[in-house]
């Protein structure tokens, strides 16, 4: 079993903290979902993601709460399904998020939220009161639901640029970095998730059968980064990310690797509304956004990593991608906290 198919035992303990009495009750629940209770004493232990998903479902059924009892108001069983139904009826991800966040804000007392567009950035902000911050697990569970549903609605992985939280950093963060972003920032003035604003314009094209399949696999399918294995564009994006930019193949070479003709490759991508050049630009943009969230990486180094001849070429390309220069973009990601 690969690490990406497992969940830290720390997250199991967090899920049980407010939702299951310690002792015999905990042992019974863990045994039912195939998790050895003895693993709770091993801080380095990991459990299969599907077992963690079964735990989520079982606790939700027992409590009639899909949010592990972490809010005074229950997120009653069926809430995830209703959230998806509300959102999928909307034309774009922007309006879908408005509907979904509105529903969650009605259901949860302590976590009202809204999304906002900040030029080339978008952010979902929790409008919390001045009470002490919630624990990290509470915030990340919320983001897991919202981001997982958003990716499903859009039919693609939505890259997260940054996640900021009001709470202190927990003792374990590795799983959260895999699920969300390497750029996790704690003890911030507010809790928010930042992503590229262009994602807000993505169309929603989901139907009842797709919703049924999504819910049948939930929450296992939102515990890891969403991927559409049927999408050729997604496969190409994945392969490009694994290579230095200077080693990216040309169209003919890529077609040969995929055992199709160049014209077939172009046609299949066109059917998905993509071009190979567009995919390369998309991956470059995603990588640039990720590295701009790291202040230790200079613009010159980013330009080199992306295969640009110099920083000036990178500046021009980034302005074309995002409508802002890299310095402004970095400032918004790292410093904007009003």
């Amino acid at each position: 079993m690969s690490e990406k198919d497992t969940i830290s035992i720390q997250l199991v303990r967090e899920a049980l903290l407010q939702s299951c009495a310690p002792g015999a009750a905990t042992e019974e629940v863990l045994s039912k979902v195939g998790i050895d209770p003895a693993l709770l004493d091993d801080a380095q232990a990991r459990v299969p993601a599907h077992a963690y998903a079964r735990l989520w479902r079982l606790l939700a059924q027992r409590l009639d709460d899909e949010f592990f009892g972490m809010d005074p108001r229950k997120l009653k069983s069926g809430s995830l399904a209703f959230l998806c139904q509300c959102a999928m009826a909307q034309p774009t991800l922007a309006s879908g998020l408005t509907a979904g966040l509105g529903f969650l804000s009605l259901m949860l007392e302590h976590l009202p939220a809204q999304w906002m567009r900040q030029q080339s950035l978008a952010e979902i902000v929790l409008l919390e009161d001045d009470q002490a911050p919630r624990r990290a697990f509470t915030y990340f569970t919320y983001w897991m639901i919202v981001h997982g549903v958003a990716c499903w609605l859009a039919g693609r992985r939505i890259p997260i640029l940054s996640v900021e939280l009001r709470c202190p950093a927990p003792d374990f963060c590795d799983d959260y970095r895999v699920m969300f972003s390497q750029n996790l920032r704690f003890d911030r003035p507010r809790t928010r998730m930042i992503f590229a604003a262009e994602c807000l314009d993505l169309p929603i094209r989901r139907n009842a059968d797709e919703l049924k399949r999504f819910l049948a696999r939930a929450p296992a399918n939102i515990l890891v980064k969403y991927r559409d294995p049927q999408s050729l564009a997604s496969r190409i994006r994945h392969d490009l990310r694994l290579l230095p930019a200077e080693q990216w193949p040309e169209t003919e070479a890529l077609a040969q690797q995929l055992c199709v003709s160049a014209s077939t490759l172009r046609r299949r991508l066109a059917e998905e509304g993509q071009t190979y050049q567009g995919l390369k630009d998309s991956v470059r943009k995603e990588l640039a956004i990720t590295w701009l969230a790291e202040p230790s990486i200079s613009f010159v180094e980013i330009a080199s990593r992306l295969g640009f001849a110099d920083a000036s070429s990178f500046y021009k390309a980034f302005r074309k991608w995002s409508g802002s220069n890299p310095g402004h973009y970095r400032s918004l990601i790292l410093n904007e906290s009003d």
Side-chain angles (χ1 to χ4, degrees):
M1 185 186 306
S2 64
E3 285 289 295
K4 69 178 182 179
D5 298 321
T6 64
I7 298 292
S8 169
I9 195 67
Q10 303 280 10
L11 271 67
V12 173
R13 297 174 66 180
E14 288 285 332
L16 294 168
L17 188 60
Q18 289 178 245
S19 58
C20 191
T26 289
E27 293 182 5
E28 177 191 0
V29 165
L30 293 179
S31 297
K32 280 190 174 183
V33 300
I35 297 176
D36 184 355
L39 293 178
L40 291 175
D41 298 323
D42 181 1
Q44 304 303 316
R46 302 188 68 82
V47 301
H50 60 78
Y52 187 78
R54 288 198 297 266
L55 175 64
W56 184 315
R57 283 180 174 270
L58 180 58
L59 293 175
Q61 292 169 358
R62 289 194 168 200
L63 296 172
D64 190 24
D65 186 353
E66 296 179 347
F67 202 59
F68 298 115
M70 295 186 296
D71 190 86
R73 299 175 186 165
K74 291 183 177 182
L75 194 62
K76 292 188 175 183
S77 296
S79 293
L80 178 61
F82 190 78
L83 166 64
C84 293
Q85 289 172 345
C86 292
M88 66 184 281
Q90 305 302 316
T92 66
L93 186 60
S95 52
L97 281 175
T98 298
L101 295 176
F103 171 72
L104 289 176
S105 296
L106 287 173
M107 295 296 292
L108 300 174
E109 180 178 340
H110 287 164
L111 298 173
Q114 68 181 36
W115 68 265
M116 293 178 284
R117 189 189 292 261
Q118 303 282 1
Q119 297 186 24
S120 55
L121 289 175
E123 58 181 5
I124 300 173
V125 183
L126 296 183
L127 308 175
E128 298 180 87
D129 51 35
D130 293 330
Q131 297 181 13
R134 280 72 197 173
R135 58 191 174 110
F137 182 76
T138 300
Y139 293 128
F140 282 121
T141 301
Y142 183 92
W143 294 133
M144 193 182 303
I145 294 172
V146 170
H147 185 249
V149 171
C151 290
W152 174 75
L153 290 171
R156 52 164 283 191
R157 166 75 181 173
I158 297 175
I160 299 172
L161 312 183
S162 176
V163 175
E164 298 185 346
L165 302 101
R166 291 176 63 219
C167 64
D171 292 336
F172 58 99
C173 280
D174 290 347
D175 283 50
Y176 295 142
R177 290 192 176 97
V178 171
M179 292 175 183
F180 300 103
S181 169
Q182 289 293 321
N183 190 25
L184 304 180
R185 307 175 71 201
F186 298 91
D187 294 308
R188 301 298 296 165
R190 58 181 179 173
T191 299
R192 61 177 181 164
M193 175 184 289
I194 304 172
F195 55 97
E198 65 179 11
C199 296
L200 294 170
D201 300 321
L202 293 171
I204 295 175
R205 299 191 183 99
R206 291 298 187 182
N207 57 45
D209 289 338
E210 290 172 321
L211 174 59
K212 185 176 180 180
R213 290 194 295 269
F214 175 72
L215 294 174
R217 295 191 295 265
N221 52 355
I222 61 176
L223 289 173
V224 294
K225 293 182 176 181
Y226 179 88
R227 294 179 178 87
D228 181 1
Q230 305 304 317
S231 167
L232 175 62
S234 294
R235 291 168 51 198
I236 292 174
R237 282 193 185 97
H238 174 266
D239 292 343
L240 291 176
R241 293 188 191 102
L242 298 179
L243 294 172
E246 64 269 17
Q247 295 182 20
W248 288 357
E250 297 298 328
T251 302
E252 289 73 15
L254 175 62
Q256 187 175 21
Q257 292 174 15
L258 296 173
C259 300
V260 297
S261 67
S263 60
T264 298
L265 173 61
R266 294 188 185 97
R267 177 179 55 79
R268 290 179 58 186
L269 286 176
E271 290 172 353
E272 298 180 6
Q274 303 285 351
T275 66
Y276 182 42
Q277 184 60 51
L279 292 178
K280 290 191 289 186
D281 288 343
S282 174
V283 172
R284 280 194 174 98
K285 178 179 178 181
E286 291 175 14
L287 293 174
I289 288 171
T290 299
W291 292 328
L292 285 170
E294 299 292 338
S296 61
I297 305 177
S298 70
F299 296 145
V300 172
E301 184 177 353
I302 293 175
S304 176
R305 290 185 183 186
L306 295 176
F308 290 101
D310 50 42
S312 177
S313 300
F314 166 57
Y315 269 56
K316 292 178 181 177
F318 194 84
R319 280 197 294 269
K320 179 181 177 181
W321 296 333
S322 65
S324 65
N325 64 60
H328 183 214
Y329 211 104
R330 172 168 279 178
S331 178
L332 285 172
I333 293 173
L334 299 180
N335 302 320
E336 198 280 322
S337 61
D338 294 336

